[in-house]
Amino acid sequence: MGILSWILFGLIAGALGKLLMPGKDPGGCLITIILGIVGAVVGGFIATQFGYGKVDGFNIGSFFFAVIGTMILLAGYRLMIKKDD
C-alpha cells in the first residue's frame, strides 16, 4: 500500500477503534491516524503469531486486525494513565 492508503486506512481503523472504546483519549485527527497505523502493525503481528497468515493490503481481514490492534493500544494507554492517577 502507498502512503496515502496507509493514512486513510489508519484514519478509518483509528476512528472505529475509538468509536468502539469510547473514553477520554488524547488527540484529534493526526493522533487517530497514527493510532490506526500503529494498531494495524500490532494487529498484523498478532494475526501472524496466531497463524491467521500474512495480513497485507486493504481488505476486511486486515481492517479487522487493525481495529483490534487499535483497541489494544487504547487499552494499554488507559492502563498506563490509570496507574499515574
Side-chain angles (χ1 to χ4, degrees):
M1 288 196 298
I3 187 71
L4 291 177
S5 298
W6 274 103
I7 291 171
L8 178 65
F9 191 80
L11 177 63
I12 295 169
L16 188 58
K18 280 187 166 185
L19 181 71
L20 293 173
M21 289 188 69
K24 289 191 170 197
D25 297 312
C29 189
L30 184 62
I31 297 299
T32 302
I33 291 171
I34 292 170
L35 182 67
I37 291 172
V38 175
V41 172
V42 169
F45 176 76
I46 290 170
T48 303
Q49 295 303 314
F50 282 116
Y52 288 107
K54 187 176 175 187
V55 177
D56 59 353
F58 196 92
N59 57 39
I60 296 297
S62 60
F63 184 71
F64 174 75
F65 284 111
V67 172
I68 295 296
T70 300
M71 292 170 66
I72 290 170
L73 290 175
L74 282 171
Y77 170 78
R78 291 177 184 170
L79 285 174
M80 287 181 5
I81 294 304
K82 195 167 197 154
K83 280 187 173 182
D84 291 342
D85 287 343

